[in-house]
Amino acid sequence: MARVLSLLRSQTLVTLAGVRRTVLCRMSLEARAREVFATAVEAVQPDVVVRRSVERKDDSLLIDGRSFVLRNNLHLVGFGKAVLGMAAEAERIVGDHLVNGVISVPHGIQETLRCHGKNQMLLKDKSRIKVMEGAKHNLPDGDAQNAAECIKQLASELTEQDLLLVLISGGGSALLPAPIPPISLQEKHDVTRRLAGSGATIQELNTVRRALSLLKGGGLARVAHPAQVVALILSDVIGDPLDLIASGPTVRTDVCSEEVISILQSYNLSDSLPASVNEVLGRVSPRWENSKDDSGRTGHVLNTVIGSNGIALKCAGRRARELGFRPVVLSLGVCGNVKLVSRLYGLLARFASSRDEPPPELAAEMLRLGPEVGVASWDLYRTMQVLDEGRKEGWGATCLLAGGEPTVELTGKGRGGRNQELALRVGLELRGMELPPRGPVFLSGGTDGQDGPTEAAGAVTDGGLWEEARAQGLDIDGHLNDNDSFTFFSNVSGGQRLLSPGLTGTNVMDVHMLLIPSIPIRIH
Ligand SMILES: Nc1ncnc2c1ncn2[C@@H]1O[C@H](COP(=O)(O)OP(=O)(O)OP(=O)(O)O)[C@@H](O)[C@H]1O
Ligand SMILES: O=C(O)[C@H](O)CO
């Protein structure tokens, strides 16, 4: 009897495995790419990361190995795309110990989260936290400036009995604008917009932002002194550098005017700066020099990273495996010009899809390009080795994952974002390769759900993009030259290739994914 049962069970398992394989085969590569992306985003939901890192034990909070006493002394501020959900969870954890709070979050986020049924990311009706929406299209505006003022006010009223919980996530720089007088918001915004448009990295951009702002570069921690400050940070910068995420409002950083001027010079902006900016940069004493407080140096400030791109890719890889792929993480630090990045993905797709040993020039070009876009040679060797083994042993499909934040040099006037422009360029690189289901699919998406100032997060492409656009009378080169990737993808095949999850409520940079179908072994 036991043998019969065990036989039946194994037959059922075989049948289930067969059904699963059939279901997976029917699910297109594109659908699976979208599913893996959704999992990456799900893994870094703000409420999840706060729950994971903040423990309440009676009247204490345990964070990063330290304990903080709660006695109705907790105040909360926050700024960033993921902060609403972080605040909702933090309020659930600390309960009545929360005295008051102010958060600065993206315009329309409450409505979007409500529409998507993400109620766990919304504050309760009688919340003690005031929500201020601003920075439409991720650009600092008057609303965000008002929110920054309220946050500054709250922080400035604290005493040494108080505990200030600071929730920080990507997009925080635009949501906490407090230009140093006499710089106006418009002037500061113009400088940063021109820098971003010239292809400056987030490191360069935020070094300049810190120098022109009252609250960035440790300014907020300084205002909150002598209160204890605990910052929970959801990282959206490669390598998770505390001083750069949201321009580091709780991380004491001395401003070096020479460094700022040299960045502005390298993008030919130093000759056209407003007089107010020159005046602030020309001031002799650095911000911290005459300050009596010692915040940030004496344990008054704890900064801790609670979520990152690495965590998102790890969970994405797990989902990819369930969906029938062998996951390989290429790098967490892809950066640099999207033109070069797209070339690298094109080469990787050719390398991975090649039935025979790929020509050595292919590997040589990848190894030359990799370091230029933040991918270490070692990571490329490791990835090529895995892909090679797959070719020789006839392994199944591969899901190549990477994270980071490339840049676009804006020369046109169109609408787009770095993910859509990258996907468009990779689509061109894949031109001539087999179409799915036998050819590769590429996805690029911003985990915040908003790519540049557009409603899309990114796009999905393959080797058929060029032909498809041509057949529909669309001029790819024209759109590319005008940085008009959003218009392009909105028009091609009725926008089907766009990735549009809506604002996701989180933000850990971008996810790139190359799905490579299995290559049958060649029988000699
Ligand atoms: N028309 C366009 N085409 C391509 N890229 C664009 C376009 N307009 C803006 N961008 C790019 O979009 C980026 C800004 O968008 P986005 O808000 O997604 O990124 P971010 O400022 O890095 O914010 P976060 O880190 O919060 O995602 C800049 O890198 C900018 O160069
Ligand atoms: O807000 C910012 O400065 C960017 O999102 C990087 O954190």
Side-chain angles (χ1 to χ4, degrees):
M1 184 62 179
R3 271 191 63 201
V4 174
L5 277 178
S6 133
L7 195 67
L8 272 175
R9 203 169 37 234
S10 62
Q11 276 180 351
T12 313
L13 286 179
V14 169
T15 317
L16 281 178
V19 169
R20 188 165 166 267
R21 244 195 323 272
T22 316
V23 170
L24 289 183
C25 287
R26 285 220 197 98
M27 203 175 165
S28 71
L29 278 183
E30 180 177 331
R32 282 185 274 174
R34 287 173 187 272
E35 169 93 23
V36 174
F37 177 75
T39 306
V41 172
E42 204 53 46
V44 282
Q45 286 301 292
D47 52 328
V48 174
V49 292
V50 168
R51 231 175 4 256
R52 229 187 263 142
S53 51
V54 178
E55 194 188 330
R56 168 86 183 267
K57 214 167 186 192
D58 305 321
D59 283 341
S60 299
L61 270 192
L62 304 181
I63 301 170
D64 203 10
R66 284 180 60 180
S67 173
F68 302 94
V69 180
L70 292 173
R71 39 175 180 244
N72 302 315
N73 60 340
L74 191 123
H75 306 257
L76 183 153
V77 294
F79 30 86
K81 295 183 183 181
V83 153
L84 188 59
M86 290 166 85
E89 190 60 29
E91 190 170 23
R92 278 192 285 273
I93 296 172
V94 299
D96 279 347
H97 287 289
L98 178 66
V99 182
N100 58 1
V102 180
I103 56 174
S104 175
V105 293
H107 179 86
I109 191 150
Q110 296 179 96
E111 184 57 23
T112 309
L113 294 176
R114 210 169 283 126
C115 289
H116 283 72
K118 295 193 168 181
N119 294 328
Q120 80 284 7
M121 291 225 234
L122 295 169
L123 296 175
K124 61 183 187 189
D125 279 348
K126 294 219 169 95
S127 170
R128 294 179 184 175
I129 302 169
K130 180 173 175 190
V131 182
M132 299 182 75
E133 292 193 355
K136 220 172 187 175
H137 298 310
N138 207 17
L139 305 172
D141 55 15
D143 290 337
Q145 194 174 15
N146 287 340
E149 189 48 47
C150 290
I151 287 172
K152 184 161 147 263
Q153 183 64 32
L154 186 154
S156 68
E157 287 165 1
L158 303 179
T159 70
E160 58 192 332
Q161 306 302 323
D162 292 314
L163 173 59
L164 180 66
L165 196 59
V166 184
L167 307 176
I168 301 178
S169 78
S173 292
L175 285 157
L176 195 72
I180 298 178
I183 303 173
S184 70
L185 181 66
Q186 190 57 46
E187 287 169 334
K188 185 170 167 228
H189 169 53
D190 283 348
V191 173
T192 46
R193 186 184 48 82
R194 281 157 67 205
L195 254 183
S198 312
T201 62
I202 192 71
Q203 284 74 8
E204 293 169 326
L205 200 59
N206 284 2
T207 302
V208 173
R209 277 167 161 167
R210 272 193 319 236
L212 309 182
S213 164
L214 284 170
L215 296 179
K216 297 177 166 81
L220 178 61
R222 181 167 174 255
V223 172
H225 189 81
Q228 169 72 53
V229 174
V230 177
L232 304 180
I233 303 167
L234 189 56
S235 168
D236 72 329
V237 181
I238 291 168
D240 308 334
L242 297 177
D243 59 329
L244 290 175
I245 303 164
S247 307
T250 52
V251 182
R252 179 184 173 132
T253 316
D254 283 322
V255 168
C256 170
S257 295
E258 287 77 25
E259 185 188 4
V260 176
I261 290 164
S262 116
I263 293 171
L264 293 165
Q265 268 167 353
S266 66
Y267 291 99
N268 296 325
L269 296 177
S270 53
D271 291 340
S272 54
L273 294 174
S276 57
V277 171
N278 278 324
E279 188 197 320
V280 168
L281 290 179
R283 285 182 192 161
V284 261
S285 79
R287 171 180 326 173
W288 297 95
E289 205 165 69
N290 300 323
S291 145
K292 287 197 194 70
D293 80 71
D294 208 12
S295 60
R297 288 223 171 124
T298 55
H300 277 288
V301 183
L302 169 68
N303 286 293
T304 175
V305 172
I306 62 170
S308 64
N309 186 273
I311 295 174
L313 289 197
K314 200 168 163 189
C315 297
R318 229 177 273 146
R319 183 71 187 128
R321 193 180 289 286
E322 286 166 8
L323 290 173
F325 296 96
R326 180 175 41 132
V328 183
V329 175
L330 171 69
S331 164
L332 301 179
V334 181
C335 57
N337 195 315
V338 284
K339 288 184 191 163
L340 300 181
V341 178
S342 62
R343 178 79 191 136
L344 181 65
Y345 285 127
L347 293 168
L348 273 163
R350 277 174 207 282
F351 184 93
S353 310
S354 160
R355 278 155 207 264
D356 301 309
E357 193 81 22
E361 303 85 72
L362 210 66
E365 192 180 344
M366 283 198 280
L367 288 168
R368 193 181 48 73
L369 256 181
E372 284 190 57
V373 295
V375 182
S377 308
W378 190 86
D379 281 327
L380 273 168
Y381 274 123
R382 175 180 52 79
T383 302
M384 286 192 276
Q385 197 173 5
V386 176
L387 295 172
D388 255 339
E389 283 163 9
R391 180 182 2 267
K392 286 185 192 122
E393 295 164 28
W395 280 355
T398 304
C399 173
L400 196 69
L401 289 159
E405 200 166 89
T407 46
V408 171
E409 206 171 311
L410 285 182
T411 48
K413 292 194 161 45
R415 283 188 77 197
R418 56 178 181 261
N419 287 282
Q420 291 161 88
E421 185 154 330
L422 175 63
L424 176 46
R425 290 183 182 279
V426 174
L428 295 187
E429 291 285 339
L430 301 182
R431 187 179 159 199
M433 295 186 69
E434 273 187 284
L435 302 185
R438 306 250 296 278
V441 160
F442 178 79
L443 176 150
S444 184
T447 52
D448 57 9
Q450 185 184 36
D451 187 30
T454 78
E455 293 94 72
V460 190
T461 50
D462 55 50
L465 183 72
W466 190 86
E467 201 44 62
E468 193 174 311
R470 203 184 59 93
Q472 295 172 25
L474 292 168
D475 168 19
I476 295 200
D477 289 335
H479 282 290
L480 258 184
N481 292 337
D482 203 22
N483 299 112
D484 203 22
S485 50
F486 176 70
T487 312
F488 170 80
F489 279 115
S490 302
N491 290 337
V492 75
S493 305
Q496 277 182 35
R497 288 177 179 272
L498 280 173
L499 180 64
S500 308
L503 286 179
T504 60
T506 192
N507 182 17
V508 292
M509 296 187 286
D510 303 336
V511 170
H512 303 156
M513 192 188 316
L514 191 58
L515 295 187
I516 301 139
S518 57
I519 313 164
I521 326 177
R522 196 187 278 282
I523 315 268
H524 294 284

